[in-house]
Amino acid sequence: MKERIEAIIQRINCSEADAARIRDAFETADAAHKSQLRSSGEPYIIHPLAVAEILSELGLDPDTIIAGLLHDIIEDTEFSYQQVRQRFGTSVADMVEGVTKLTRMDFSSAEEEEAENIRKMFLAMARDIRVIIIKLTDRLHNMRTLMYRPPHKQRNKALETMQIYAPIAHRLGMNSVKVELEDLSIMYLDPVGYEEIQEYLEKNNQEGRAMLNRIMARMKERLAEHEIEATVSGRVKHTYGIYRKVYMNGRDIDQVYDIYAMRVIVDTIPQCYNVLGIVHELYHPIPGRFKDYIYTPKPNMYQSLHTTVVGRSGQPFEVQIRTKEMHKMAEYGIAAHWKYKHNITKNGDEALFAWVRRFIENQQETDNEEFISDLRVELFADELFVFTPKGDVINLPANATPIDFAYAIHSAVGNRMVGAKVNNKIVPLDSKLTNGDIIEVLTSNSARGPSRDWLTIAKTGEARNKIKQWFKKERREENIQLGRAEFEAELRRNLLARAFENEEFRANILKKLDFQNLEDLYAAMGYGGITVRKVINRIADEHTRQEKQARGLARPMRETKPTSGVIVEGIDNCLVKFARCCTPIPGDHIIGFITKGYGVSVHRSDCPNIAGMLTDPATQDRMIRVSWASAPSELYQTALQVIGRNRIGILADVATAISDMNIQMSSVSARANGGDESIIDLVINLRNAEQLGSVLLRLKRIDGVSDVTRVVR
């Protein structure tokens, strides 16, 4: 293993002093982990050593290499932060502690805990981006050795990697890490689909490689004629890239045009465009398949020219053209522009992780549900490029509106906005922008400010949070009235009004939610700083806890039926059924209604059918408190509605996505809604709300799907 350490030192070409520190870190980690083994039965030191090797391949600095060797030492041994700092310095100790905190995160937890853990991760990233780079390399080696873990842990780890870590690697521009994480994840998440693509690639490997070699030789010859020095290579698209287009976008594998691609690397930007002209002379370009990421870089600073052409055999293939610096950036992202060896300056490199800080700043007062929603947009959404009238490029997520554009310019522009022009035509503020649009924001100094409707129109968290800040500052009295009215209605709906009247109980809730008084709470709910649902859930949890203490029981509610998964207050052995109108599942806040002759009907507390019963004197007394059992094991039906573009294959894509997640589907139907829109209604069987969240995310990523909602009939 010492030979591997010497190879790391040679690879990063560091000073002798840093080389000595790296050797010391390895010996320290080896001694600390001496009695520990990996799941494979190998000595534990194999893992931190592999992490350090990956970090050295990415070109990280000596401190990061040392932190990689020590990244588990605080978590898994008796070493403390102070000991690491004393021996290896504050920078290394802070990174090791940062990675330790991330290691303790549990992404399969409840939504609120999940959001808080992810928020902590982004705060760590904002302080020192190297923390998440170490974590990404840690996850990469764990995924490489996942075959030694039990099947259920393989799937959980792979899903977590696909949902969080691979998108972060993509957002940081670390393509080599992202590609491997995705391929390893899909191998465990959908082994059948993975094998089908592998078999296709193996079957066509000889023919495909021969085609690439012919194209490579021809292009090298033509470039030499034009005296352009270039590196020309061929590549086969990675497995998950093909999987996504075939199984998630509903294409036949023969319609994936970029399975085979050529890459041309030159010295200068003018040469990139010269090569593009030569390629189009040699091969017929496919209309609409040219992208200029040099002039309009991706948010992760990726730059390249992409064009898809047709070869002499009729096989389409992609050509990527970039400079050497662009290629380093494309493969290694932020690691390619590392500046921690020197003082970081406010230049282009800062943009590589400035989005992390900007995202955290915009999420300061966002509740957890919206935080997760905004994060998914930030990490998963396709991007589009639009322009100001002066030609400046603004990057926004797909389906963004003129409101998002205005607030991306400046909060003052958004707050004074009275209209918008897209391509010199006035459009509604909820219009969806498309690539290449030129947007002009119409403003007025006498504008009354944003409308509350804008909160539902805006797609970016940045825009919504700036709108909320305006309402918080300018409309306090209005916020108090709105928040109070909605909150009191929800208290009555959830049978919690009497509990909240208790002064001591109310003071305890305000303290837990970090509000000084009721007016501040009402105002926050009014402008959207906290959701009414979060407050109600906290009140319900506290009320249940106090009841347990008062009664001196292990639980104040008696289980009505062992297999129902629901506990009904004060009633034993009664029939429990789940309302078909709102199809509640574990994780939803629920309420019970005592029916005549059919036991207790369980509804979601936000079910509109319950609202009238709570205010009707004839039914008020038949409402009863219910809660989920600690670990319900059944499957529960819930109804979803998918709205998307009316295209061939969208129903099959939805059904395939559900099947790939091993989820039972009770029924599915589709209908056209006039024009270009189709509606798909389906009923599926789920374990809990967390699983529902994964389903909603997967369905929303299908090509053409614009919205997925739960149905309340």
Side-chain angles (χ1 to χ4, degrees):
M1 284 189 280
K2 289 186 177 180
E3 294 81 5
R4 292 169 66 179
I5 282 292
E6 294 305 316
I8 290 173
I9 292 169
Q10 188 174 4
R11 188 178 295 124
I12 65 172
N13 192 27
C14 62
S15 68
E16 187 51 45
D18 282 331
R21 293 173 68 228
I22 291 172
R23 295 186 189 102
D24 186 21
F26 169 71
E27 291 171 2
T28 301
D30 190 22
H33 293 295
K34 201 73 176 178
S35 60
Q36 298 171 356
L37 297 175
R38 297 273 289 167
S39 299
S40 61
E42 297 173 302
Y44 193 86
I45 189 62
I46 292 293
H47 172 62
L49 179 59
V51 168
E53 285 176 327
I54 299 170
L55 290 168
S56 70
E57 290 164 2
L58 293 172
L60 272 297
D61 60 299
D63 273 4
T64 311
I65 304 294
I66 293 168
L69 287 166
L70 303 173
H71 77 272
D72 280 332
I73 204 168
I74 295 177
E75 173 75 10
D76 296 334
T77 77
E78 294 181 358
F79 255 80
S80 66
Y81 168 85
Q82 288 75 16
Q83 288 174 301
V84 176
R85 184 178 64 179
Q86 184 176 3
R87 191 159 181 174
F88 297 101
T90 302
S91 173
V92 170
D94 286 346
M95 281 189 276
V96 174
E97 185 181 50
V99 175
T100 299
K101 290 177 179 177
L102 300 189
T103 303
R104 291 172 182 159
M105 295 188 325
D106 178 11
F107 289 107
S108 61
S109 61
E111 181 91 353
E112 185 166 335
E113 184 179 352
E114 177 188 25
E116 286 303 322
N117 285 332
I118 298 175
R119 201 187 294 264
K120 289 176 186 176
M121 179 175 70
F122 272 77
L123 286 170
M125 289 168 64
R127 285 192 293 267
D128 190 337
I129 203 73
R130 292 177 295 180
V131 171
I132 195 61
I133 294 178
I134 296 171
K135 185 60 184 175
L136 286 170
T137 56
D138 166 72
R139 176 52 60 100
L140 179 55
H141 183 249
N142 282 333
M143 290 300 296
R144 288 174 178 175
T145 56
L146 200 57
M147 73 287 291
Y148 299 110
R149 304 299 298 276
H152 71 281
K153 290 191 176 180
Q154 289 176 345
R155 184 172 179 82
N156 289 342
K157 223 50 158 173
L159 183 62
E160 177 183 85
T161 299
M162 189 68 85
Q163 291 184 336
I164 300 296
Y165 290 103
I168 288 176
H170 170 69
R171 199 63 172 80
L172 293 176
M174 300 171 66
N175 185 64
S176 59
V177 174
K178 169 230 175 194
V179 163
E180 191 172 354
L181 287 175
E182 288 177 339
D183 283 355
L184 290 168
S185 296
I186 204 64
M187 183 170 65
Y188 293 100
L189 291 173
D190 188 357
V192 174
Y194 179 86
E195 279 302 318
E196 286 180 356
I197 292 172
Q198 287 294 304
E199 288 174 8
Y200 175 89
L201 293 176
E202 289 173 11
K203 179 181 176 182
N204 294 276
N205 180 60
Q206 188 172 352
E207 182 181 342
R209 288 292 178 186
M211 180 193 77
L212 289 176
N213 289 334
R214 288 195 303 271
I215 295 169
M216 195 185 312
R218 191 177 182 207
M219 289 181 65
K220 284 181 177 179
E221 181 182 348
R222 186 60 62 91
L223 290 172
E225 290 175 5
H226 287 77
E227 299 182 346
I228 295 177
E229 291 187 9
T231 301
V232 183
S233 60
R235 69 111 175 105
V236 180
K237 192 176 184 68
H238 71 290
T239 305
Y240 179 69
I242 302 172
Y243 177 93
R244 184 171 180 175
K245 293 191 174 183
V246 172
Y247 294 106
M248 298 176 70
N249 293 351
R251 296 187 193 176
D252 186 89
I253 196 166
D254 293 322
Q255 294 177 313
V256 181
Y257 294 148
D258 57 349
I259 287 182
Y260 302 104
M262 300 301 302
R263 184 173 291 149
V264 183
I265 301 174
V266 293
D267 291 325
T268 67
I269 291 177
Q271 285 179 333
C272 291
Y273 291 96
N274 288 342
V275 171
L276 178 67
I278 293 169
V279 169
H280 285 175
E281 285 177 9
L282 286 171
Y283 305 101
H284 294 293
I286 297 178
R289 298 285 300 177
F290 168 69
K291 294 178 182 177
D292 186 343
Y293 292 120
I294 292 180
Y295 178 60
T296 54
K298 290 187 176 184
N300 60 11
M301 305 303 290
Y302 174 88
Q303 288 182 286
S304 187
L305 297 177
H306 289 195
T307 183
T308 303
V309 297
V310 179
R312 289 183 172 180
S313 62
Q315 172 71 47
F317 64 93
E318 185 178 68
V319 181
Q320 300 172 356
I321 309 165
R322 60 183 69 145
T323 66
K324 293 174 183 176
E325 288 302 313
M326 291 175 190
H327 182 62
K328 290 179 184 176
M329 186 67 229
E331 290 300 302
Y332 304 113
I334 192 169
H337 281 219
W338 203 249
K339 286 188 175 290
Y340 280 98
K341 299 174 188 175
H342 316 287
N343 292 323
I344 294 179
T345 56
K346 298 290 182 180
N347 59 11
D349 297 348
E350 185 79 350
L352 294 171
F353 53 93
W355 70 272
V356 177
R357 295 177 183 143
R358 188 175 64 250
F359 181 70
I360 288 294
E361 289 170 3
N362 289 330
Q363 300 294 324
Q364 291 287 338
E365 299 184 18
T366 302
D367 88 328
N368 291 314
E369 185 177 347
E370 188 166 0
F371 177 83
I372 289 292
S373 175
D374 291 345
L375 175 64
R376 284 168 177 161
V377 170
E378 187 72 44
L379 293 180
F380 292 108
D382 293 332
E383 69 267 11
L384 59 87
F385 299 96
V386 293
F387 299 89
T388 68
K390 293 182 179 180
D392 296 327
V393 180
I394 302 294
N395 174 254
L396 294 169
N399 298 321
T401 68
I403 295 173
D404 298 296
F405 177 86
Y407 281 100
I409 300 296
H410 196 279
S411 55
V413 175
N415 292 337
R416 299 203 315 269
M417 184 181 190
V418 293
K421 289 183 178 180
V422 175
N423 302 325
N424 213 30
K425 294 182 180 179
I426 292 179
V427 298
L429 294 183
D430 61 354
S431 301
K432 293 180 180 179
L433 304 178
T434 58
N435 265 320
D437 282 344
I438 300 173
I439 297 98
E440 179 184 356
V441 179
L442 306 177
T443 62
S444 170
N445 290 329
S446 59
R448 299 179 61 185
S451 163
R452 291 187 186 273
D453 293 340
W454 291 10
L455 288 169
T456 59
I457 296 172
K459 301 300 180 185
T460 63
E462 179 180 9
R464 286 195 299 272
N465 281 293
K466 287 179 178 179
I467 294 167
K468 289 176 186 176
Q469 288 300 314
W470 186 88
F471 277 106
K472 179 181 179 181
K473 182 179 178 181
E474 304 290 341
R475 293 286 190 272
R476 179 172 170 81
E477 291 305 316
E478 181 182 324
N479 294 333
I480 291 172
Q481 291 178 12
L482 286 171
R484 179 172 186 165
E486 186 178 355
F487 175 62
E488 290 181 347
E490 286 298 310
L491 279 176
R492 291 192 297 272
R493 178 181 303 196
N494 290 276
L495 308 180
L496 294 169
R498 184 173 297 176
F500 198 70
E501 288 173 0
N502 182 283
E503 187 174 340
E504 184 179 348
F505 180 89
R506 187 166 60 241
N508 187 32
I509 293 295
L510 290 172
K511 183 179 179 181
K512 286 179 179 293
L513 293 172
D514 200 24
F515 287 98
Q516 295 295 320
N517 52 57
L518 265 180
E519 283 200 346
D520 288 348
L521 176 62
Y522 293 151
M525 290 186 287
Y527 75 78
I530 188 172
T531 63
V532 175
R533 174 50 48 202
K534 179 178 179 179
V535 178
I536 291 295
N537 287 344
R538 182 61 62 90
I539 292 171
D541 291 344
E542 182 65 15
H543 183 43
T544 300
R545 187 187 67 80
Q546 290 191 8
E547 277 193 338
K548 288 180 180 179
Q549 290 180 343
R551 298 185 187 192
L553 301 173
R555 63 186 187 199
M557 301 180 181
R558 295 192 296 278
E559 201 167 323
T560 62
K561 188 178 179 183
T563 58
S564 71
V566 168
I567 300 168
V568 181
E569 181 180 29
I571 301 179
D572 207 7
N573 296 323
C574 73
L575 176 67
V576 172
K577 65 174 184 176
F578 296 95
R580 298 181 118 189
C581 53
C582 56
T583 57
I585 59 176
D588 291 333
H589 197 270
I590 51 177
I591 192 168
F593 177 71
I594 302 173
T595 66
K596 294 181 179 180
Y598 296 98
V600 174
S601 177
V602 178
H603 293 254
R604 281 163 40 195
S605 59
D606 59 354
C607 176
N609 294 327
I610 284 292
M613 298 179 188
L614 285 165
T615 56
D616 187 347
T619 55
Q620 276 180 335
D621 294 338
R622 291 161 60 188
M623 307 307 298
I624 190 168
R625 290 185 62 228
V626 295
S627 66
W628 296 104
S630 57
S633 57
E634 295 183 20
L635 292 176
Y636 300 82
Q637 282 196 349
T638 195
L640 301 179
Q641 185 172 89
V642 180
I643 299 176
R645 190 171 69 250
N646 190 8
R647 65 169 176 83
I648 296 173
I650 191 169
L651 177 59
D653 291 346
V654 169
T656 300
I658 297 294
S659 175
D660 287 346
M661 298 183 75
N662 293 321
I663 289 171
Q664 296 177 7
M665 186 161 55
S666 298
S667 67
V668 61
S669 63
R671 65 186 187 278
N673 194 31
D676 192 37
E677 191 175 76
S678 65
I679 297 177
I680 301 171
D681 295 302
L682 61 154
V683 177
I684 55 178
N685 300 312
L686 301 170
R687 290 189 302 274
N688 51 44
E690 292 173 12
Q691 191 178 30
L692 173 64
S694 297
V695 172
L696 296 177
L697 177 62
R698 179 71 177 269
L699 294 179
K700 287 177 181 177
R701 293 174 68 183
I702 293 175
D703 181 39
V705 170
S706 57
D707 195 20
V708 185
T709 56
R710 292 180 72 180
V711 175
V712 179
R713 292 185 282 264

